[in-house]
Amino acid sequence: MSFSTDHPNPGLEVTEHHTISVVNKPIAQPGKNQVLVHTRACGICGSDVHFWKMGQIGELKVEGKCILGHEACGDIVAVGEDVTRVKVGDRVAVEPQLPCGKCYLCMQGDYNLCQDVEFSSVYPYDGFMQRFKVHSERFVHKIPDKMTYAQGALVEPVSVGYHGIERSAIQLGKPAMVAGAGPIGLCTLALAKAAGATPLLITDISEKRLAFAKEMFPDVMTYQIDTKKTNWENAQAIRALYGEGEYVQPQCTLECTGIESSIVTCGFVTRRAGCLTVIGVGKGDINNFPFMHLSLAEIDVKFINRYHDSWPACINLIANKVIDVDALVTHRFPIEKADEAMAVSSDPSNGNIKVMITDDYEVKN
């Protein structure tokens, strides 16, 4: 059965001219092995703001009109031919990447590294900051009734932290540090805590964000980066909070900003024979990477690219309250005011952590 195209389908569109506006998009019908999702919640990511303001992230450029949004959860309102995993009425969290499924990376399970991936909200592939969006049934995941749509949307940023934890050297009872108290940093901190790392410390340049982190995690140490100090000086001040001696220093640092100074500081904080995992996304080149310091200390440096096979696990973690992500959502806007939501999300002075686009539209097909 086809889905009625008479419904309004507002969506937030970005252009190559750095403009955003709410437009009405045509509703596509799901094809073979596809489903049509009514987006009920979609979080705004820093990358959405970056595509708007800067027009690109690394090699990914906005070269035309594109709907933003990849942190999504909603209802299945129509299914295409041969769909068997889900049905109309199911509530699903959306994994926004569509890898080719044929290359050697996909075949060995590293489908997040597929070079032919279609990633929702990265031009020319429209995202989920619209009411209705077609997606592959393989990459929608049912959520239990006890999960909210907002929690389902937060599975995406939690998955970023989850993949970072997977690739890191996090160990039960061993000290660790997280750099950056934004949404990804806070998700990563929650996961590091759930993994049993202790003691834990989180850094940021923002006093407001550190206060927010302390409210969420009262037993976690905080350190406000002093921009007047060198990276080495900030690192030594952080190390002093852990105590004296190399063994008590973080064997694992998780960098969630992508900012050069933060990455370098993490390198200096990490104890000898430890591991620095860079989760954040930054500029193309780093000029002051402490190569010999890391080399002489045999510190491993790892990176991540998105995630793979994380949705089922992260849904379990949230649904069963192993981690609590509800406090991350500080602002909510209806889809019709998505442009206003983007303006709020782009202004860190207002204390936002995660701005969520919601939609209560009643579908009557």
Side-chain angles (χ1 to χ4, degrees):
M1 177 184 290
S2 62
F3 185 77
S4 173
T5 58
D6 293 336
H7 298 286
N9 186 30
L12 185 71
E13 187 175 76
V14 67
T15 73
E16 69 272 31
H17 305 298
H18 310 290
T19 64
I20 55 170
S21 59
V22 177
V23 300
N24 191 55
K25 295 286 289 184
I27 300 174
Q29 298 295 332
K32 186 176 182 179
N33 301 124
Q34 290 183 326
V35 298
L36 183 63
V37 179
H38 172 200
T39 307
R40 300 293 299 274
C42 185
I44 295 179
C45 176
S47 64
D48 295 316
V49 174
H50 211 77
F51 278 134
W52 167 32
K53 296 285 189 178
M54 307 302 294
Q56 68 180 91
I57 297 176
E59 298 176 354
L60 306 176
K61 298 181 180 180
V62 179
E63 297 178 344
K65 296 177 180 179
C66 187
I67 297 293
L68 294 171
H70 57 269
E71 302 177 3
C73 183
D75 301 322
I76 302 295
V77 293
V79 299
E81 183 184 355
D82 292 343
V83 170
T84 59
R85 293 182 60 250
V86 292
K87 64 184 184 302
V88 172
D90 283 345
R91 303 164 71 246
V92 295
V94 176
E95 185 173 351
Q97 53 192 352
L98 299 177
C100 75
K102 300 176 181 178
C103 68
Y104 80 94
L105 290 164
C106 285
M107 295 300 287
Q108 71 183 24
D110 295 317
Y111 64 83
N112 57 309
L113 303 180
C114 175
Q115 292 178 293
D116 292 322
V117 66
E118 298 179 11
F119 194 87
S120 301
S121 80
V122 175
Y123 179 86
Y125 307 110
D126 280 347
F128 281 86
M129 215 173 291
Q130 58 181 312
R131 180 165 288 150
F132 301 109
K133 170 80 167 68
V134 165
H135 203 58
S136 168
E137 72 159 332
R138 287 181 57 209
F139 292 96
V140 294
H141 305 266
K142 287 189 283 188
I143 62 172
D145 291 341
K146 60 185 175 181
M147 277 185 73
T148 66
Y149 290 113
Q151 289 172 339
L154 288 168
V155 172
E156 197 278 343
V158 170
S159 285
V160 175
Y162 182 87
H163 190 45
I165 294 288
E166 280 186 309
R167 287 185 51 75
S168 75
I170 283 282
Q171 289 186 34
L172 188 68
K174 298 294 182 68
M177 186 194 97
V178 175
I184 298 298
L186 292 170
C187 288
T188 301
L189 181 61
L191 291 163
K193 185 174 175 61
T198 189
L200 283 163
L201 180 145
I202 189 166
T203 68
D204 205 284
I205 62 171
S206 168
E207 184 178 358
K208 285 184 179 179
R209 288 204 159 183
L210 289 176
F212 188 93
K214 192 69 174 179
E215 187 174 346
M216 281 190 72
F217 308 99
D219 56 341
V220 169
M221 297 183 287
T222 61
Y223 177 81
Q224 185 175 4
I225 297 294
D226 187 342
T227 56
K228 295 180 181 179
K229 291 182 178 179
T230 66
N231 299 325
W232 174 262
E233 290 170 339
N234 275 309
Q236 299 317 300
I238 292 168
R239 280 180 151 240
L241 295 175
Y242 283 90
E244 295 183 3
E246 189 69 12
Y247 184 74
V248 301
Q249 301 306 320
Q251 71 147 10
C252 177
T253 54
L254 300 143
E255 206 297 310
C256 299
T257 72
I259 296 171
E260 179 178 313
S261 59
S262 181
I263 295 171
V264 173
T265 299
C266 284
F268 290 145
V269 169
T270 310
R271 83 179 189 197
R272 296 170 73 85
C275 177
L276 160 59
T277 303
V278 182
I279 298 173
V281 176
K283 61 183 182 180
D285 298 302
I286 290 181
N287 299 318
N288 299 304
F289 196 65
F291 171 74
M292 283 310 301
H293 173 85
L294 298 169
S295 175
L296 292 172
E298 288 194 358
I299 293 171
D300 292 334
V301 181
K302 296 184 178 182
F303 299 87
I304 75 157
N305 182 22
R306 298 171 180 151
Y307 28 63
H308 61 193
D309 193 30
S310 57
W311 257 252
C314 292
I315 288 171
N316 284 338
L317 288 167
I318 296 171
N320 296 316
K321 301 188 183 302
V322 177
I323 62 172
D324 185 354
V325 294
D326 290 345
L328 295 177
V329 181
T330 54
H331 297 73
R332 290 177 170 84
F333 288 82
I335 182 63
E336 293 85 358
K337 295 183 178 180
D339 51 347
E340 296 179 27
M342 284 286 286
V344 169
S345 186
S346 67
D347 181 6
S349 68
N350 58 38
N352 78 83
I353 298 294
K354 177 61 64 179
V355 179
M356 190 70 65
I357 303 297
T358 62
D359 190 47
D360 295 327
Y361 181 78
E362 186 177 353
V363 174
K364 293 179 180 179
N365 197 15

